[in-house]
Amino acid sequence: AQSVSQHNHHVILSEAASLELGCNYSYGGTVNLFWYVQYPGQHLQLLLKYFSGDPLVKGIKGFEAEFIKSKFSFNLRKPSVQWSDTAEYFCAVNARRDDKIIFGKGTRLHILP
Amino acid sequence: EPEVTQTPSHQVTQMGQEVILRCVPISNHLYFYWYRQILGQKVEFLVSFYNNEISEKSEIFDDQFSVERPDGSNFTLKIRSTKLEDSAMYFCAIPPASGRGNEQFFGPGTRLTVL
């Protein structure tokens, strides 16, 4: 069965700090990988996705993530965070043969102005 | 990004009552998905629905749950006899307009509170 592990439950940073949120998944086959973001009071939005090709993917709002197959990881990064990045971030995976998306528990990011 | 709306935004019900949650995609979709998120926990897959049939369901999706497409456009999730532990956010999701895709776009959710 697939599973997703997010390393940090709650991260607090100051504006302009660099961000890296860890994500590891467990599945033996080919997967698609996602990061979703949920801003306060809003619904889940797709931040970025990896299906195939270049393992370094760029998403919206300056976010990027790197797929490292050997480590089963898909960490999210941003070089300089802003107060508006305060949100909850979910790493997710689905198997290529599947429809369902499996989510991690989420990381609540709080940016201090 | 395809749009999807959900109604109601918040539903309060008594334990044992039936609730129907609705999902309305802006354009025609054959695939849709339901997920739930209990407060403080992760988003969990419930069921996928394709062309008027369930294509996959999780162990959470037991006999008290059902899904249907009553009028060809919107999709519903029915919980027949609600329990306290059904209190959660329920999200509908749809794939890209081109059809089935591993990428899914989520609606704003319905917050269900069971008293």
Side-chain angles (χ1 to χ4, degrees):
Chain A
Q2 304 151 52
S3 67
V4 178
S5 174
Q6 292 185 239
H7 307 161
N8 313 98
H9 296 300
H10 196 182
V11 173
I12 301 173
L13 294 173
S14 297
E15 274 195 309
S18 66
L19 170 72
E20 181 160 4
L21 301 182
C23 172
N24 287 90
Y25 69 93
S26 172
Y27 182 67
T30 305
V31 296
N32 300 310
L33 295 156
F34 310 90
W35 276 95
Y36 282 86
V37 61
Q38 189 172 30
Y39 296 102
Q42 296 189 28
H43 61 281
L44 285 163
Q45 298 174 41
L46 184 64
L47 197 56
L48 49 77
K49 64 192 179 195
Y50 172 80
F51 286 174
S52 63
D54 188 346
L56 183 63
V57 292
K58 295 191 184 300
I60 59 173
K61 303 185 181 185
F63 286 90
E64 65 178 31
E66 184 175 13
F67 170 49
I68 303 179
K69 191 174 181 180
S70 61
K71 295 184 178 180
F72 296 88
S73 70
F74 191 56
N75 292 355
L76 181 71
R77 299 194 292 249
K78 185 171 183 177
S80 176
V81 294
Q82 300 171 303
W83 178 78
S84 58
D85 292 326
T86 294
E88 190 154 16
Y89 293 81
F90 295 91
C91 182
V93 62
N94 80 338
R96 293 279 172 91
R97 59 175 175 76
D98 258 350
D99 283 339
K100 65 178 182 286
I101 292 179
I102 306 298
F103 285 83
K105 288 189 174 182
T107 296
R108 196 176 295 275
L109 176 65
H110 187 74
I111 305 300
L112 302 173
Chain B
E1 180 174 316
E3 292 183 32
V4 58
T5 60
Q6 291 185 242
T7 60
S9 57
H10 192 183
Q11 173 89 48
V12 181
T13 190
Q14 295 289 328
M15 189 171 58
Q17 294 297 303
E18 176 182 285
V19 294
I20 298 176
L21 311 181
R22 289 184 171 81
C23 171
V24 185
I26 299 302
S27 55
N28 282 335
H29 280 77
L30 294 178
Y31 291 90
F32 76 103
Y33 313 89
W34 284 99
Y35 294 79
R36 79 171 185 191
Q37 184 181 27
I38 295 172
L39 186 63
Q41 299 186 25
K42 62 182 179 180
V43 178
E44 301 172 290
F45 169 78
L46 291 176
V47 65
S48 59
F49 191 79
Y50 167 64
N51 205 25
N52 298 320
E53 288 186 1
I54 291 175
S55 55
E56 186 177 0
K57 60 183 181 180
S58 71
E59 61 275 9
I60 302 169
F61 195 87
D62 61 22
D63 291 344
Q64 67 164 157
F65 290 93
S66 62
V67 287
E68 61 179 12
R69 193 176 185 187
D71 59 7
S73 59
N74 63 19
F75 304 94
T76 62
L77 173 69
K78 183 190 292 186
I79 309 175
R80 286 190 189 82
S81 178
T82 50
K83 299 178 284 196
L84 294 176
E85 53 265 38
D86 294 328
S87 294
M89 282 291 289
Y90 288 82
F91 296 101
C92 169
I94 56 175
S98 56
R100 181 185 183 186
N102 296 114
E103 166 179 4
Q104 293 172 22
F105 299 98
F106 286 76
T110 293
R111 182 176 299 281
L112 176 64
T113 302
V114 182
L115 303 176

